[in-house]
Amino acid sequence: MNETDEEPDRGRSRRRVLAAAGSAFGAGLAGCGGDGGAETEADDPDQIETDETTPEPTATTATTTVPAERGGDDFPPLGNYPVEGDSVTYGFTVPVSGPFSALGEAERRGYELAVQHLNEGGGWADSWTDLSGDGVLGYTVEGVVRDTATDPAEARQAAAELIDRDEALLVSGGASTAAAFTIQEVCQQERVQYMAALTQSPVLTGEQCARYGFREMHTVSMGASALATTLTDELGEDGTFSVLYPDYAYGQSVQESVRRQFEGRGWTTGETVSTPLGTEDYTTFLESIPQNETDVLVLGQFGNRGAQVLRRATEMGLATDTTLAVPLIDRTFLETAGSAIDGVYGTADWHWTRDERFSNAFTERFRAAYDQPPSSAARLAYAATMRYSAAVERAGTFYPPEVIRELEGNSYANTGLGRALSRACDHQSIRSVYVLRGQEPDSGPAPVEIAETVDGSSVAYACSESPASECELGDYR
């Protein structure tokens, strides 16, 4: 599809049956019901200070009125608009297979629960003014999952099939930086909304940003800022740090962000060691880190691989005199790390032990459905789906430019994070970042504790600063 200001005529008929190639789900999910009552107002009124105006968030009482799709001839065909029939399709790109399949399963469950609540009530659908629990604008939501296999080519095909074959109005997913780049690019070209989930690269809302793409998760640079803040508070300002990182886009952004944030707080750079993609044995690389000269060692690997590196570092005794840190702690990481997590610091999008009304509501419904607490990957998926749907309800239409305008500059405090701002300049949410500290696996209900919640105003970068300054969002139409 062309990317000019001309609006393409995509007069396709609405499909009636979901394509067999995708895993589909609709309104029926056992074990999920309404929460039995509506919340009345948002928590955590901590103010985000950025170079954009931050309006008060919308109230969060439930509503039973469902506006009809408006616009008609005022909104010509664009992407998969207009809607035909009595249902709409949301497409979810997750790594069903491949190295991040565990994260993909967590995301899939978050999406499944979101579709359930949008159609039947429960969870946040009972506590957001903009959601009714009776579909979206009166349309039943159908979800289709397609596998990215943690591969950019597969991700491109998955996104294209969701848009062309399933006629999705929303595409959401994550768990791989390269896959997220590809999916966002396809959605921008096809004028279909993309809500990123588990992906951290600053570039996604920097030089590769897109008008049709939004992200709530904190970036690598925001995470590095939070980590440096906490460790400086704990250890002082005159330490030495080293970084071991994988030599590809994600690892390079970790190394660059960590160096910038720690040096900016008075720390001295020790060794920065890159490892080839696909490395299995990290012993030689870890041996190049001088233990007696390193106060903090940041291990820049991700997921299962990151946990394996951490375990090897612990076996080699690096944790004895050196504080170990990782860019991101999630459930997959914890399950593989085992006892090696004790004393390790890392950031998190969110953690289920956070005692806050929207966190608690999501955790309660997720536990009821899946008999386990949710991971941050599941919350991201759930929140992305709910935020898009609420924007549609506020706009009164699925017409993409109107929905985008509802998301741009939106201040909200109802996704379990406290106050957040979805910036208009780069479509990055400015929100709190959680720094976790590992504990012994048998120390309680979770082998981590929230060491510090670093406010969004502390980790934010201005729209005039990199990476936001490199963002050119592109056209609405």
Side-chain angles (χ1 to χ4, degrees):
M1 183 173 294
N2 67 61
E3 295 191 39
T4 69
D5 283 337
E6 286 188 17
E7 294 179 324
D9 182 4
R10 298 182 65 176
R12 33 173 98 156
S13 60
R14 174 75 182 150
R15 67 174 178 79
R16 302 302 303 165
V17 180
L18 293 175
S23 171
F25 46 84
L29 178 65
C32 296
D35 283 338
E39 305 292 353
T40 57
E41 59 184 28
D43 275 90
D44 296 348
D46 45 327
Q47 188 68 27
I48 302 294
E49 296 179 1
T50 70
D51 53 357
E52 293 191 1
T53 302
T54 307
E56 287 299 307
T58 57
T60 53
T61 47
T63 179
T64 57
T65 59
V66 181
E69 167 78 29
R70 65 171 174 80
D73 293 338
D74 293 336
F75 298 145
L78 182 66
N80 280 327
Y81 181 89
V83 177
E84 298 179 13
D86 55 8
S87 65
V88 293
T89 298
Y90 288 1
F92 305 124
T93 53
V94 303
V96 176
S97 60
F100 292 162
S101 59
L103 296 173
E105 176 61 13
E107 287 184 336
R108 186 195 66 77
R109 289 179 170 184
Y111 290 128
E112 184 178 55
L113 195 62
V115 170
Q116 160 74 17
H117 289 169
L118 289 171
N119 288 325
E120 298 182 9
W124 296 349
D126 285 353
S127 57
W128 288 20
T129 298
D130 306 318
L131 299 176
S132 68
D134 188 23
V136 178
L137 292 185
Y139 294 88
T140 298
V141 177
E142 297 174 341
V144 178
V145 171
R146 290 193 180 272
D147 185 13
T148 67
T150 323
D151 176 82
E154 294 286 342
R156 179 178 295 278
Q157 181 176 345
E161 288 181 353
L162 285 168
I163 294 169
D164 294 332
R165 185 182 302 179
D166 303 312
E167 299 190 8
L169 290 164
L170 164 69
V171 175
S172 184
S176 163
T177 293
F181 290 163
T182 300
I183 296 165
Q184 181 164 276
E185 180 183 35
V186 171
C187 288
Q188 177 69 25
Q189 291 171 348
E190 298 297 317
R191 301 302 189 260
V192 170
Q193 186 72 54
Y194 175 56
M195 302 292 284
L198 185 68
T199 178
Q200 280 193 292
S201 173
V203 179
L204 191 72
T205 47
E207 65 183 65
Q208 293 197 35
C209 69
R211 181 69 65 185
Y212 278 70
F214 287 83
R215 174 171 56 189
E216 183 176 75
M217 188 177 189
H218 65 279
T219 67
V220 166
S221 56
M222 293 166 69
S225 177
L227 199 59
T229 296
T230 298
L231 289 174
T232 298
D233 290 344
E234 299 253 349
L235 303 176
E237 299 181 354
D238 57 353
T240 297
F241 71 95
S242 296
V243 187
L244 181 76
Y245 66 97
D247 195 12
Y248 70 106
Y250 173 79
Q252 291 162 3
S253 66
V254 169
Q255 186 272 139
E256 293 167 2
S257 298
V258 166
R259 179 180 52 78
R260 182 171 62 253
Q261 295 297 336
F262 275 83
E263 288 180 350
R265 289 165 174 77
W267 286 62
T268 300
T269 304
E271 297 293 326
T272 55
V273 181
S274 64
T275 63
L277 190 62
T279 297
E280 295 291 339
D281 185 355
Y282 289 84
T283 302
T284 301
F285 300 103
L286 289 166
E287 287 175 342
S288 66
I289 306 295
Q291 296 184 43
N292 60 345
E293 299 175 12
T294 302
D295 297 297
V296 170
L297 170 59
V298 179
L299 303 172
Q301 285 73 13
F302 176 69
N304 282 328
R305 182 57 55 84
Q308 291 166 5
V309 177
L310 173 62
R311 292 181 65 168
R312 184 68 187 116
T314 302
E315 291 167 356
M316 293 172 62
L318 282 168
T320 303
D321 299 313
T322 301
T323 298
L324 301 182
V326 296
L328 187 68
I329 293 177
D330 61 9
R331 172 177 290 160
T332 303
F333 182 93
L334 290 174
E335 289 174 349
T336 305
S339 60
I341 193 63
D342 187 27
V344 175
Y345 289 81
T347 71
D349 163 73
W350 168 85
H351 195 262
W352 65 268
T353 59
R354 173 164 161 71
D355 186 13
E356 185 266 356
R357 65 178 62 187
F358 298 104
S359 277
N360 294 340
F362 172 59
T363 297
E364 176 187 345
R365 303 317 307 169
F366 194 94
R367 274 187 180 276
Y370 304 110
D371 196 29
Q372 64 179 214
S375 67
S376 57
R379 190 212 67 85
L380 281 161
Y382 185 87
T385 311
M386 293 302 206
R387 288 184 59 220
Y388 169 78
S389 300
V392 170
E393 292 279 8
R394 292 195 303 272
T397 179
F398 285 99
Y399 185 60
E402 295 297 303
V403 179
I404 290 170
R405 291 184 175 101
E406 287 294 334
L407 289 164
E408 290 178 334
N410 176 238
S411 175
Y412 58 101
N414 50 13
T415 65
L417 304 175
R419 183 66 59 85
L421 171 68
S422 179
R423 293 202 302 198
C425 70
D426 60 353
H427 293 186
Q428 173 64 47
S429 284
I430 304 301
R431 32 68 57 93
S432 297
V433 176
Y434 303 95
V435 179
L436 306 183
R437 180 171 47 235
Q439 300 177 297
E440 287 286 353
D442 59 355
S443 59
V448 293
E449 61 180 347
I450 299 176
E452 187 169 3
T453 301
V454 184
D455 187 74
S457 60
S458 300
V459 300
Y461 44 88
C463 290
S464 58
E465 297 175 346
S466 180
S469 60
E470 300 160 20
C471 171
E472 295 182 8
L473 288 167
D475 301 326
Y476 285 94
R477 299 183 299 169

